[in-house]
């Protein structure tokens, strides 16, 4: 019963905010009409002999490390979530000294979409939970270094919310940050374990809180507010678009990911730090949580990409045709276990240790490279599940990074079979 009490107001709030959203749509109607059917004057496709580029070429070898900070305090009492301003600033300086570029979260997403390149060794700074010290202490330091950053906010933790105490950030401070280009993203409504069946705290009208475990419909309703309601609140209160979600405590499962994905979040973040690559899945991006008593976490993260092959060299894109790839670009093969091969000898003297092959759905594969023939090859051992497969090969040739990528199709079934045969497997 108590639970239902709590959930009802949430739904009311949701409905209200939905109404508001509709109202605020009308001023934009001109935009909608501008986009309305314009006579399609699409030029007839002209065949050009130039190799087609379906996506802008971005540097797919870049790596990103993402840091997660909480409170900045002079006297650390909770080393798990606090750091001194001096230690924080030293870390920001170290990134600069090591030539690691701090980029914005939206640049990371644009890179992952294949829209723009990012520096080969990049870092992203994020702050969780919305603390006053992030506004008062961290922000000036970030300004000093000219670094962009992201704030992950749980809406009930903002000052005035049911969980927003005296150390919490205010909506006004968030608006000030927004006006100055700070990225503000979602971190749920009440910052609790989002997996079904875990003990959570429910706020009752009147402020009393109850521990409970939600399942079934009640859980789903609660989740709607945690994942969707909190996103709408941030978007409406601040007039922003929220497309990133930091999972509270980094605890998630497939269902949590699915709800977040369906709610319009483009990326989900955890706290299991690891360098992010072009092919890292977007629904579980690891961040390094920096704690005052574990300085090694920062050092290790920085080392992880300090040793990468990057180094700011431009990537030269080489057409797959020149490399006699197998399967060829655009070819369709009859097996989900193809042998993938390319001859890199057209690229000049290849540094043997630098050859890397990536296969969509598999990531980096242990391809073998024969320096004599210049051939790099990999026999797929794990069935490819998609109908098309992209291969990216990168290597270093005379100090320059070269790269090629191509795509082939997979149509498993009896060779020569013309009619699509349903294959009821399992
Ligand atoms: Zn948090």
């Amino acid at each position: 019963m108590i639970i239902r009490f709590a959930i009802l107001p949430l739904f009311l709030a949701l409905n209200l905010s939905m109404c508001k959203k509709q109202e605020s749509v009308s001023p934009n109607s001109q935009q909608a009409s501008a986009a309305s059917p314009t006579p399609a004057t699409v030029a007839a496709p002209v065949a050009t002999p130039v190799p087609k580029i379906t996506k802008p070429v971005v540097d797919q070898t870049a790596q990103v490390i993402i840091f997660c900070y909480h409170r900045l305090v002079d006297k650390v009492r909770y080393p798990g979530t606090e750091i001194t301003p001096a230690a924080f600033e030293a870390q920001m300086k170290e990134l600069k000294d090591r030539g690691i570029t701090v980029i914005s979260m939206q640049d990371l997403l644009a890179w992952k979409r294949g829209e723009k390149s990012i520096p080969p060794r990049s870092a992203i700074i994020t702050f969780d939970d919305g603390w006053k010290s992030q506004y008062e202490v961290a922000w000036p330091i970030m300004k000093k270094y000219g670094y962009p950053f992201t704030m992950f906010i749980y809406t009930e933790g903002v000052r005035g919310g049911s969980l927003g105490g005296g150390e919490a950030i205010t909506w006004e401070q968030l608006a000030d940050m927004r006006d100055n280009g700070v990225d503000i993203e979602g971190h749920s409504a009440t910052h609790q374990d989002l997996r079904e069946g875990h003990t959570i705290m429910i706020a009752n009208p009147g402020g009393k809180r109850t521990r409970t475990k939600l399942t079934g419909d009640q859980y789903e309703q609660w989740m709607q507010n945690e994942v969707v309601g909190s996103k709408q609140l941030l978007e409406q209160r601040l007039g922003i678009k929220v497309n990133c979600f930091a999972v509270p405590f980094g605890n998630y499962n497939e269902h949590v990911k699915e709800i977040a994905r369906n709610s319009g979040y483009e990326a989900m973040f955890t706290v299991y730090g690891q360098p992010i690559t072009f092919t890292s899945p977007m629904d579980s991006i690891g961040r390094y949580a920096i704690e005052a008593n574990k300085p090694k976490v920062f050092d290790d993260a920085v080392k992880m990409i300090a040793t990468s092959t990057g180094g700011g060299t431009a990537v030269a894109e080489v057409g797959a045709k020149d490399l006699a790839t197998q399967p060829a670009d655009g070819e369709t093969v009859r097996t989900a276990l193809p042998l993938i091969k390319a001859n890199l000898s057209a690229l000049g003297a290849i540094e043997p240790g630098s050859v890397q092959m990536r296969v969509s759905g598999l990531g980096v594969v242990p391809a073998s490279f024969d320096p004599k023939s210049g051939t790099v090859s990999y026999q797929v051992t794990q069935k490819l599940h998609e109908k098309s497969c992209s291969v990216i090969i990168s290597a270093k040739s005379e100090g320059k990074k070269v790269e090629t990528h191509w795509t082939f199709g997979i149509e498993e079934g009896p060779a020569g079979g013309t009619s699509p045969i349903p294959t009821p497997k399992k």
Side-chain angles (χ1 to χ4, degrees), residues 70 128-129 154 187 191 248-249:
H70 289 83
D128 279 24
D129 301 349
Y154 68 101
H187 194 32
H191 202 289
F249 312 111

Side-chain angles (χ1 to χ4, degrees), residues 121-259:
R121 299 184 312 135
S122 295
I124 293 174
I125 310 298
T126 69
F127 296 93
D128 279 24
D129 301 349
W131 296 98
K132 196 170 69 178
S133 65
Q134 295 164 348
Y135 178 89
E136 292 174 348
V137 185
W139 195 18
I141 296 170
M142 297 301 278
K143 277 184 194 159
K144 185 173 152 187
Y145 285 88
Y147 290 165
F149 62 97
T150 291
M151 300 278 286
F152 281 112
I153 300 296
Y154 68 101
T155 48
E156 285 297 327
V158 180
R159 184 94 64 88
S162 62
L163 303 167
E167 293 304 308
I169 204 164
T170 68
W171 286 107
E172 290 70 30
Q173 288 168 336
L174 285 173
D176 187 15
M177 289 179 135
R178 171 206 60 199
D179 289 345
N180 288 281
V182 175
D183 184 47
I184 298 168
E185 302 291 348
H187 194 32
S188 82
T190 61
H191 202 289
Q192 309 198 63
D193 195 320
L194 297 179
R195 296 169 298 177
E196 184 168 10
H198 280 76
T199 303
I200 52 160
M201 202 73 93
I202 291 282
N204 303 289
K208 245 186 107 182
R209 287 199 247 154
T210 323
R211 291 170 74 85
T212 187
K213 283 183 188 180
L214 298 182
T215 53
D217 282 352
Q218 286 186 326
Y219 164 75
E220 298 298 339
Q221 288 175 3
W222 176 78
M223 271 296 273
Q224 278 299 305
N225 186 59
E226 289 296 321
V227 180
V228 187
S230 62
K231 179 177 191 280
Q232 290 177 339
L233 183 58
L234 280 177
E235 291 184 332
Q236 288 165 13
R237 193 87 197 229
L238 297 169
I240 55 173
K241 181 186 174 181
V242 170
N243 59 1
C244 295
F245 185 63
V247 187
F249 312 111
N251 292 337
Y252 64 91
N253 56 24
E254 279 308 311
H255 187 61
V256 171
K257 286 203 276 190
E258 195 189 338
I259 293 178

